[in-house]
Amino acid sequence: MPDTPDELEPRVRRIISRWGHDPGALVQVLREVQEEFGYLPGPALTLVARLLRIPYSRAKGVASFYSFLSDEPLGAYRVLFSDNITDRMAGSDSLLEAMCYRLWAEPGKVSADGLVSIARTSCTGMCDQGPALLVNGRAITALTGERVERLCDLILARTPVAEWPAEFFAVHDNVRRADILLGHTQQPGDAIRAALQRGAAGWSEHAANERSWREAYVGAAQGPIATLEEIKRSNLRGRGGAGFTTGIKWEACRQATGLTRYVVCNADEGEPGTFKDRVLLTSHADLVFEGMTIAAYAIGASLGFLYLRGEYRYLLEPLEATLQRRRAANLLGNGICGQPGFDFDIRIHVGAGSYVCGEESALIESLEGKRGVPRNRPPYPVTHGYKQQPTIVNNVETLCAAALIAVRGGDWYRSLGTLKSSGTKILSVAGDVARPGLYEYPFGVTLRQVLEDCGGADTQAIQISGPSGVCVDATEFGRRIAFEDLPTAGAFTVFDASRDMFDVARNYAQFFAHESCGFCTPCRVGTSMLVASMDKIHAGNGTQHDVGEIDRLNKVLLMSAHCGLGHTACNPILDTLKRFRPAYERKLRSLDFAPAFDLDGALHRARKMTGRDDADAHLEAQP
Amino acid sequence: MNERPSFLLDGDEVPFEPGQTVMQAALAAGRYIPHLCYHPEFTPHGSCKLCTARINGRLMAACTTPAETATEVESETEELNDLRRTLVQMLFAEGNHFCPSCEKSGNCVLQALGYDLGVMTAGFRHFFPDRPVDASHPEILLDFNRCILCELCVRAAREVDGKHVFSLAGRGLGKHLIVNAESGRLADTDVKVTDKAVEVCPVGVILRKRVGFATPIGARRYDKSPISAQALADAPRPLERNHD
Ligand SMILES: Cc1cc2nc3c(=O)[nH]c(=O)nc-3n(C[C@H](O)[C@H](O)[C@H](O)COP(=O)(O)O)c2cc1C
Ligand code: SF4
Ligand code: SF4
Ligand code: FES
Ligand code: FES
């Protein structure tokens, strides 16, 4: 334990110098200080604030925003069980119980001997190989009773996590159906060279655009415009959920006035049930970075960020190595591929446990070292993004697609998929299916087709695009994955007839409450009220009144929440209420009113204290 | 002469200066839009959502939305006032508000909004959070039970006092106010009783000690006239201009 301030100081100083004493790097600094000491000791936080010249309260405010950061001591082993509904379906709750029992720990608390703290965390993106957990930030998947026993042995023997058997940390890609993206054969640099060549090959009539600094270099001028034209021609739309047309976003950013421009790759992948970006970052990192470089070329950016969710911290070293290789190959850095003025580099920023940081303006706040609270819009990031400069934020998969388009052109891309949804979409399939994993299809595929391919039997419902998406039932399996029918960020979570859809909705409600940033009244208070209503129904104390209250909360969230998190927080409940009403009604009391708790049960203590248990010591039995 | 730019608020023309928000223009024109976290002296925040209005059909916070020509703003509708009542109920449910024993009663913006909007019931089950008070400072009491997280004190400290006495920590329902000291005690900060931040709290969190009941209940600010009238009386007005 690092305890005296004197011992802390050199270690904190080292981290802060590595980040250039930049207060904008606060989240990264705090994350590394925590990696160093296991938590954020008060004196370390004070020191960080002093050295970065920020108020203590700001450091504390940021530290307490991110769920992976803790200013209270944690166990030497910090175990976080992934709490997605698919983890629960695969038995994570009883595994957690077994671990707590074996290690004498209580969920959410540090064990008395300080050895371990065990808790739950939002979906860790391992849904195709769950149940999963994180131990000191490292993912362990495919948990079984036996595996948990072995983890307990290692913890009790105080074996450092770095020395645990490598098989524990294996994470599989599980690509089940590859199309143009997962099956691509592009080599590092192909897309960049194609883009540069496209400039050389003509398009001179579009060449004059003095707003991008790069246009000062005669001859290089056509390339960015030509690349942008291909992206526009492809009709590529964002894969992160909102489906904004990528070419229009890039063009708006390119045309915005600013001192400089930024490219941000959104690898926060926080939507429960989504894990395709993990695979792209694991096995196609070059394509991701290539897409960012293409974007930088098109809009005139010289710096980019990859915002990597904290759950994927284990990918940081391999990704840094890829960046290093690309720099060595002149695919990043100054004068990329020998093109004067084509300067671009990429930094990786690791998140610290916050779903809302996937929202693009919250993500930018986090990049700036702040609490991840969505900004007031307008203005939008394309004009006022990172450091108030024009910024594009794109999903990992969008940028990969852009790298393909740079080589093969917009017309080719547009020829795939449907009229309104060009190209392909990677689905993260999990839940009650025989073959969970990634399935890439041209847009327009029916749900039925996907179910057939992944081996879904006796399917009751599919949650498309995670809790913030839609839940469909068997009558709708003829619908298609496409922007014009069922748009999706990728999650495809399957529930068979044995599942209680009420439990699904309740898990999702808990997720939103846990992840609400707390900025606006409707979402901060409303998401927790939803959980309270769902808990009340779950406990058998719900009535029609509670269903009415859910409706009322939904209206408030839809009307006034500050960002998409609040706007969608009611979706899972409303969708399941509409389609699986009996799952709720089974649990409702038939009365119009019931107390939120069991009145007679509340007298239990009093009865014990007085040693009475006669009929008069009980309230009338409740109907 | 140039036409002054304007927009329509509930059917009436409201002129604005470029750079003004819908809220600022409305108040300056003598039109009230209910608000809680907005205060004319500080940067708009947009968090309480009480000022939600339909702006060209879209629901937006009037306090952060820039005024533009050719927009139609709806505010005084049953739908929106219903929303506002619900939001007030949610704020009451989130904290511990026992108005009869609160020394802010009668001067409290939350309470006054409740009356003015006609909030008649609790509406929701209350959370009854556990929030200890901080009485460490000799002149100032902090009763976090009533904090509605409007960040007015945070903004006042930063923008007027040039300090960082107050800040927010935690997230979701766990979001809470903290002070700028490792000990967590107000006494260990550089707060002064004369700070703007101490004066600005709309509810009964930041209280000066020993003056609480100097003005008796019944003779307080919102006992005299409703908040909608007082907000207008306080609103900064532009110099009168000639209209064509
Ligand atoms: C609460 C919330 C969470 C989000 N999480 C993500 C995410 O994890 N990854 C992502 O790419 N987009 C996420 N988005 C969408 C982003 O705001 C943004 O639209 C997207 O990154 C734009 O990229 P695209 O146009 O390539 O899709 C989220 C949005 C909201 C409201
Ligand atoms: S702060 Fe206002 S609403 Fe809260 S208890 Fe005091 S008077 Fe009532
Ligand atoms: S203390 Fe008062 S001013 Fe500060 S955030 Fe809370 S309610 Fe607002
Ligand atoms: S947007 Fe974060 S709480 Fe409303
Ligand atoms: S007054 Fe506009 S959001 Fe609070």
Side-chain angles (χ1 to χ4, degrees):
Chain A
M1 284 255 137
D3 283 82
T4 68
D6 287 349
E7 285 166 4
L8 281 168
E9 180 139 357
R11 292 157 80 186
V12 172
R13 275 188 186 278
R14 221 171 11 249
I15 292 168
I16 288 191
S17 339
R18 207 165 43 238
W19 287 99
H21 289 77
D22 174 12
L26 181 59
V27 179
Q28 299 311 294
V29 167
L30 292 176
R31 199 180 49 72
E32 291 194 2
V33 169
Q34 170 148 328
E35 281 186 13
E36 181 84 22
F37 301 117
Y39 76 109
L40 296 167
L45 215 49
T46 301
L47 195 59
V48 165
R50 202 181 76 219
L51 295 175
L52 293 180
R53 294 167 196 278
I54 58 173
Y56 169 82
S57 53
R58 177 169 160 212
K60 173 100 175 172
V62 170
S64 58
F65 185 85
Y66 298 91
S67 68
F68 288 175
L69 300 176
S70 168
D71 53 11
E72 290 185 11
L74 297 163
Y77 296 86
R78 182 191 203 186
V79 181
L80 293 170
F81 278 81
S82 176
D83 196 25
N84 189 21
I85 183 70
T86 54
D87 294 289
R88 288 196 194 172
M89 281 156 44
S92 65
D93 276 343
S94 57
L95 294 171
L96 179 143
E97 255 170 58
M99 181 178 271
C100 286
Y101 183 78
R102 174 90 197 278
L103 299 176
W104 283 83
E106 227 183 297
K109 297 204 177 126
V110 185
S111 61
D113 53 4
L115 181 64
V116 54
S117 37
I118 303 171
R120 294 182 171 84
T121 189
S122 298
C123 176
T124 58
M126 302 288 166
C127 326
D128 56 335
Q129 45 207 297
L133 57 72
L134 298 169
V135 59
N136 293 353
R138 296 291 311 269
I140 299 183
T141 65
L143 295 174
T144 57
E146 192 239 308
R147 193 163 251 206
V148 167
E149 279 298 307
R150 290 180 62 199
L151 297 183
C152 292
D153 293 340
L154 289 163
I155 291 173
L156 288 169
R158 295 184 179 260
T159 312
V161 174
E163 291 165 25
W164 291 15
E167 47 159 326
F168 280 6
F169 303 111
V171 175
H172 300 287
D173 281 0
N174 293 336
V175 174
R176 312 281 183 183
R177 188 185 195 282
D179 208 297
I180 52 166
L181 209 170
L182 291 169
H184 80 95
T185 53
Q186 259 173 238
Q187 294 303 306
D190 282 357
I192 297 175
R193 282 185 287 269
L196 292 174
Q197 229 153 25
R198 192 161 267 127
W203 290 94
S204 47
E205 70 271 29
H206 291 284
N209 184 331
E210 69 287 4
R211 289 190 197 148
S212 171
W213 58 270
R214 192 166 293 121
E215 271 69 359
Y217 295 88
V218 184
Q222 307 99 314
I225 306 279
T227 301
L228 190 55
E229 283 304 321
E230 289 304 324
I231 300 294
K232 282 165 70 182
R233 190 186 295 268
S234 74
N235 203 25
L236 173 64
R237 291 173 64 174
R239 303 300 194 233
F244 200 83
T245 307
T246 308
I248 294 181
K249 186 187 279 189
W250 289 16
E251 187 165 55
C253 183
R254 180 184 168 81
Q255 313 237 325
T257 36
L259 303 169
T260 179
R261 295 179 184 79
Y262 297 98
V263 173
V264 177
C265 174
N266 188 343
D268 197 48
E269 191 154 70
E271 191 70 42
T274 317
F275 47 87
K276 46 130 188 138
D277 293 343
R278 161 176 48 84
V279 175
L280 292 172
L281 294 163
T282 306
S283 300
H284 305 278
D286 265 300
L287 198 69
V288 179
F289 292 138
E290 193 113 341
M292 291 177 71
T293 311
I294 292 297
Y297 181 60
I299 68 168
S302 46
L303 184 60
F305 292 94
L306 177 85
Y307 190 100
L308 182 68
R309 72 184 306 217
E311 288 79 350
Y312 299 163
R313 162 71 185 80
Y314 71 97
L315 291 174
L316 179 61
E317 286 81 13
L319 287 169
E320 289 287 7
T322 305
L323 287 178
Q324 223 26 59
R325 248 184 293 115
R326 293 182 69 85
R327 288 183 193 115
N330 193 215
L331 299 175
L332 281 176
N334 289 340
I336 290 173
C337 289
Q339 180 70 43
F342 187 1
D343 306 340
F344 181 63
D345 208 339
I346 296 172
R347 290 192 206 149
I348 302 177
H349 177 116
V350 184
S354 166
Y355 163 68
V356 75
C357 284
E359 193 283 334
E360 57 184 7
S361 67
L363 185 153
I364 290 171
E365 288 283 291
S366 180
L367 277 181
E368 293 181 355
K370 302 185 195 147
R371 294 161 57 82
V373 175
R375 293 178 173 173
N376 284 311
R377 285 140 293 159
Y380 293 91
V382 282
T383 58
H384 295 77
Y386 181 66
K387 297 193 169 161
Q388 295 301 316
Q389 301 305 311
T391 302
I392 53 166
V393 180
N394 277 120
N395 176 256
V396 174
E397 189 182 348
T398 313
L399 289 163
C400 286
L404 300 182
I405 295 164
V407 173
R408 303 190 60 181
D411 286 332
W412 162 76
Y413 197 77
R414 203 174 187 144
S415 71
L416 305 161
T418 71
L419 212 56
K420 287 193 177 137
S421 312
S422 54
T424 61
K425 181 77 195 96
I426 305 177
L427 301 177
S428 309
V429 178
D432 296 314
V433 300
R435 292 172 296 280
L438 293 191
Y439 292 75
E440 181 186 6
Y441 293 97
F443 272 110
V445 66
T446 61
L447 306 185
R448 191 166 290 117
Q449 179 71 51
V450 182
L451 278 178
E452 213 166 275
D453 294 350
C454 66
D458 202 11
T459 303
Q460 176 182 197
I462 310 170
Q463 185 74 29
I464 307 282
S465 204
S468 66
V470 293
C471 181
V472 298
D473 65 25
T475 62
E476 298 164 275
F477 292 168
R479 294 180 65 181
R480 294 169 189 279
I481 298 291
F483 290 104
E484 61 272 30
D485 188 358
L486 285 169
T488 176
F492 192 100
T493 311
V494 180
F495 303 96
D496 72 18
S498 72
R499 305 296 175 188
D500 183 341
M501 295 310 289
F502 174 85
D503 289 343
V504 175
R506 181 160 163 257
N507 171 273
Y508 289 159
Q510 290 165 342
F511 165 77
F512 285 122
H514 182 255
E515 296 296 341
S516 164
C517 77
F519 174 75
C520 68
T521 312
C523 171
R524 182 182 69 241
V525 187
T527 53
S528 285
M529 285 182 163
L530 280 175
V531 171
S533 296
M534 293 297 275
D535 285 351
K536 190 177 166 204
I537 296 173
H538 176 75
N541 292 324
T543 63
Q544 276 305 329
H545 175 82
D546 296 283
V547 176
E549 185 166 303
I550 288 171
D551 268 337
R552 197 161 153 233
L553 288 169
N554 173 54
K555 205 161 158 225
V556 174
L557 282 161
L558 269 181
M559 284 179 75
S560 62
H562 182 62
C563 81
L565 189 156
H567 290 145
T568 54
C570 253
N571 284 359
I573 303 181
L574 290 179
D575 279 359
T576 47
L577 255 177
K578 192 157 81 194
R579 295 175 170 86
F580 306 97
R581 208 171 177 100
Y584 286 72
E585 281 171 352
R586 269 198 299 278
K587 296 189 171 62
L588 294 185
R589 293 180 171 239
S590 50
L591 346 158
D592 289 333
F593 169 81
F597 61 102
D598 172 5
L599 287 171
D600 185 58
L603 289 178
H604 175 72
R605 253 175 75 108
R607 277 192 299 266
K608 272 197 103 154
M609 273 157 46
T610 53
R612 284 180 59 181
D613 200 18
D614 54 290
D616 285 346
H618 284 275
L619 291 171
E620 232 173 87
Q622 289 177 25
Chain B
M1 217 183 144
N2 270 346
E3 278 274 318
R4 259 183 104 184
S6 67
F7 60 86
L8 286 181
L9 173 59
D10 292 323
D12 302 326
E13 209 162 309
V14 169
F16 67 90
E17 311 284 337
Q20 273 183 324
T21 61
V22 169
M23 176 72 75
Q24 285 163 339
L27 289 175
R31 299 293 300 259
Y32 176 68
I33 299 176
H35 55 272
L36 183 48
C37 69
Y38 172 73
H39 187 295
E41 291 171 52
F42 314 111
T43 313
H45 195 235
S47 60
C48 76
K49 302 299 178 195
L50 243 80
C51 67
T52 301
R54 229 175 239 292
I55 302 182
N56 278 351
R58 287 188 59 194
L59 291 159
M60 317 267 278
C63 69
T64 52
T65 306
E68 277 176 45
T69 49
T71 42
E72 265 184 63
V73 180
E74 280 175 77
S75 169
E76 274 309 309
T77 66
E78 206 35 43
E79 177 200 33
L80 289 168
N81 281 330
D82 235 13
L83 169 72
R84 292 166 184 149
R85 278 187 283 272
T86 309
L87 289 170
V88 167
Q89 288 175 325
M90 289 166 95
L91 286 168
F92 270 106
E94 182 187 21
N96 296 312
H97 298 267
F98 306 104
C99 299
S101 65
C102 175
E103 61 177 76
K104 193 77 174 190
S105 198
N107 289 325
C108 170
V109 172
L110 182 63
Q111 188 191 49
L113 275 166
Y115 281 129
D116 206 23
L117 288 164
V119 177
M120 306 308 277
T121 59
F124 296 100
R125 269 163 291 145
H126 285 211
F127 285 107
F128 302 116
D130 186 13
R131 299 183 184 167
V133 303
D134 176 352
S136 63
H137 195 279
E139 294 169 289
I140 305 161
L141 174 74
L142 295 181
D143 188 341
F144 297 111
N145 286 295
R146 304 165 186 145
C147 183
I148 54 170
L149 305 163
C150 66
E151 288 190 52
L152 276 169
C153 57
V154 179
R155 286 178 276 163
R158 191 175 51 222
E159 294 170 18
V160 179
D161 306 327
K163 298 181 187 176
H164 301 275
V165 177
F166 299 105
S167 216
L168 286 159
R171 76 171 190 219
L173 199 65
K175 191 168 91 156
H176 61 280
L177 193 70
I178 56 168
V179 299
N180 191 20
E182 194 188 316
S183 67
R185 287 157 30 107
L186 187 66
D188 298 331
T189 67
D190 57 353
V191 73
K192 290 271 167 326
V193 73
T194 49
D195 283 351
K196 188 79 179 172
V198 173
E199 153 199 329
V200 78
C201 180
V203 290
V205 182
I206 309 178
L207 298 166
R208 279 175 60 205
K209 289 185 175 172
R210 288 177 291 276
V211 297
F213 292 93
T215 312
I217 290 183
R220 297 181 169 190
R221 185 170 160 88
Y222 303 113
D223 296 332
K224 295 180 204 145
S225 62
I227 190 167
S228 44
Q230 303 223 15
L232 288 180
D234 293 351
R237 293 297 165 80
L239 298 175
E240 281 305 315
R241 284 228 226 153
N242 291 329
H243 285 260
D244 327 355

